[in-house]
Amino acid sequence: LSQQTNTLNSELFTLTYGALVTQLCKDYENDEEVNKQLDKMGYNIGVRLIEDFLARSSVGRCHDFRETADVIAKVAFKMYLGITPSVTNWSPAGDEFSLILESNPLVDFVELPDNHSGLVYSNLLCGVLRGALEMVQMAVDVKFAQDTLRGDNVTEIRMKFIKRIEENLPAGEE
Amino acid sequence: MADEALFHFLHNELIHYAYKSAEQGEVENGRCITRLENMGFRVGQGLIERFTKDTARFKDELDVMKFICKDFWTSVFKKQIDNLRTNHQGIYVLQDNKFRLLTQMSAGKQYLEHAPRYLAFTCGMVRGGLSNLGVKSIVTAEVSVMPACKFQVMIQKM
C-alpha cells in the first residue's frame, strides 16, 4: 500500500499542475502568455518555498554560485521533486550553468497537443527558482534550453547569475 | 515523488489565480469557486484512474465512501477522514478535524469567509474520484471552526 501511496502523492502534484496548464491554455490566447503566467505563478511560489526549504534543509548560506548550483540540484530538487539533476556546462566566468534532468516528474503522461508548440510546459519551475533565489539576494535568469516534451533527449534548465540584490528591498509579488 | 509542500503551494497559487482578476460580488465568487472545483474534478479523476487499477471492485456505495475516507484521503492528505456519517439514503458527511489545506490559516473564526475557496478544489477532487468509481455526486463543504471542516456528498442516481 505504501508504494501505491507514494505513486499517488507524486501524481497529485503532477495532475494538479496539468490541470493548471490546461486551464491557462483555455484562458490565454497564445503560448507566450501561458508561459509568462506559469513563470509568475512559479515566482509567487518560489518566494514562499524558500522559507520552507531553509527551515527543512539546514543548509547554510552559499558562498558562491557553484555552491548554490549544488544545493539546488542535490538538496532542493531532491527534497521537492525526488530527482537529482546534474550540474554541467559551466560558463568560463562561472556565472552560468545547466541543470540536466533525465526525467521530469511534471511531464508524466503529458503530450503536447500540436497547436501548442510554443508552450514551455514546465515553466513554473523557472519562476520558482527565480523567486526563491531572489529571497536570498540573488537575481538570476532561468529558462529551459531543452525539453523532452518538445522532442529533445533531455530536459535542460539554464541558470544565469545576474547580480546580487540589496538586502532591504521588499519581497515582490507578481 | 513530489513533496506534499509543493502541492500546498500550488493549491494556494491556483486560488490566487482564480480570484486575481475577479470582481467583487456573489456571481464572480461563484465563478471562481466553480473553476477551482472543475480543476479539482479532473485531478480527482486522474488520481483514481491510477490508484485503483489493482484494487478489487467495491461491494456497495458505502464501501466506496469508506475508500474515499481512508485510502483516498490518506494518499492525498496524509490522514484519514475523522468521522463519516450517512443517512443511508445517499447523503454522506465526511468530517476532517484538521484539514491540511486549512491548517496554514489561523485557527478559529478568522478568515471564515475565505474558507470556501480553500475547499473548492478538494470538493472537486472528491467528485472526480467518485465519478471514476462510477458514482455521480454533488460535493459541498463547510467550515465552522478552522481547521475543521465537513464535506457533504450527495449521491445522484444516474
Side-chain angles (χ1 to χ4, degrees):
Chain A
L1 186 67
S2 67
Q3 220 168 18
Q4 276 181 309
T5 306
N6 285 350
T7 308
L8 190 67
N9 198 34
S10 159
E11 290 170 26
L12 174 61
F13 178 73
T14 303
L15 286 169
T16 303
Y17 187 73
L20 169 65
V21 177
T22 302
Q23 184 66 48
L24 290 177
C25 287
K26 286 196 188 126
D27 294 343
Y28 290 96
E29 302 252 302
N30 60 64
D31 291 341
E32 244 335 285
E33 274 305 314
V34 177
N35 293 340
K36 253 196 240 168
Q37 199 59 230
L38 285 171
D39 182 74
K40 262 192 212 180
M41 294 176 79
Y43 175 86
N44 292 340
I45 290 173
V47 300
R48 292 186 173 86
L49 190 111
I50 185 72
E51 274 177 46
D52 183 77
F53 175 69
L54 292 173
R56 289 164 60 188
S57 70
S58 66
V59 159
R61 193 158 271 268
C62 290
H63 296 103
D64 57 30
F65 204 45
R66 277 187 187 265
E67 226 182 298
T68 305
D70 277 345
V71 168
I72 290 172
K74 294 177 184 151
V75 189
F77 264 87
K78 184 103 180 85
M79 182 184 290
Y80 291 108
L81 289 173
I83 58 170
T84 308
S86 46
V87 178
T88 63
N89 291 355
W90 279 99
S91 62
D95 64 345
E96 213 175 325
F97 68 91
S98 291
L99 290 166
I100 308 284
L101 284 67
E102 299 292 327
S103 71
N104 179 357
L106 292 183
V107 309
D108 287 344
F109 322 116
V110 172
E111 269 175 37
L112 279 186
D114 291 330
N115 56 340
H116 286 289
S117 54
L119 180 66
V120 182
Y121 184 84
S122 307
N123 214 34
L124 190 100
L125 287 183
C126 297
V128 174
L129 287 165
R130 188 168 63 86
L133 287 175
E134 189 176 298
M135 292 300 105
V136 288
Q137 279 69 56
M138 274 183 264
V140 294
D141 187 60
V142 189
K143 57 175 175 260
F144 277 88
Q146 292 189 79
D147 192 349
T148 52
L149 270 191
R150 290 160 90 171
D152 299 312
N153 287 334
V154 291
T155 297
E156 178 186 354
I157 296 175
R158 192 89 186 133
M159 292 191 63
K160 184 180 169 70
F161 179 81
I162 308 289
K163 62 174 184 175
R164 268 205 102 60
I165 303 173
E166 292 305 316
E167 289 257 357
N168 45 17
L169 282 179
E173 218 187 78
E174 298 178 5
Chain B
M1 185 192 111
D3 187 86
E4 186 188 10
L6 270 189
F7 170 68
H8 288 207
F9 283 117
L10 184 61
H11 179 257
N12 278 352
E13 206 42 45
L14 285 183
I15 295 166
H16 184 185
Y17 173 73
Y19 279 84
K20 187 179 62 149
S21 45
E23 288 143 28
Q24 297 289 350
E26 285 277 339
V27 175
E28 199 55 38
N29 187 51
R31 273 201 208 112
C32 297
I33 296 284
T34 302
R35 267 163 151 228
L36 288 165
E37 209 269 354
N38 285 338
M39 277 196 267
F41 181 80
R42 276 200 292 278
V43 173
Q45 284 187 309
L47 283 171
I48 291 291
E49 205 164 76
R50 294 272 300 167
F51 187 68
T52 58
K53 246 190 202 165
D54 309 313
T55 315
R57 301 286 295 283
F58 300 99
K59 284 197 325 248
D60 54 22
E61 193 178 272
L62 183 60
D63 230 25
V64 173
M65 293 310 301
K66 283 181 181 169
F67 171 80
I68 297 288
C69 293
K70 292 189 187 151
D71 303 77
F72 186 80
W73 219 256
T74 302
S75 295
V76 177
F77 297 113
K78 301 293 181 35
K79 67 181 289 288
Q80 296 188 13
I81 282 287
D82 295 301
N83 192 280
L84 171 68
R85 294 203 320 275
T86 179
N87 65 356
H88 297 289
Q89 282 171 20
I91 298 190
Y92 298 84
V93 179
L94 288 64
Q95 184 158 326
D96 189 328
N97 292 328
K98 218 173 161 188
F99 187 52
R100 302 284 283 206
L101 298 179
L102 286 178
T103 50
Q104 296 295 313
M105 300 167 76
S106 345
K109 301 250 174 203
Q110 273 184 303
Y111 309 117
L112 211 54
E113 57 185 288
H114 291 308
R117 60 184 72 173
Y118 286 87
L119 304 172
F121 187 85
T122 301
C123 287
M125 276 204 289
V126 174
R127 187 170 66 88
L130 285 171
S131 169
N132 261 27
L133 289 170
V135 177
K136 195 166 176 217
S137 64
I138 294 176
V139 183
T140 56
E142 62 176 34
V143 177
S144 48
V145 178
M146 302 224 254
C149 66
K150 291 184 188 160
F151 294 86
Q152 178 168 282
V153 179
M154 284 191 295
I155 308 295
Q156 311 284 288
K157 289 307 167 201
M158 300 227 255

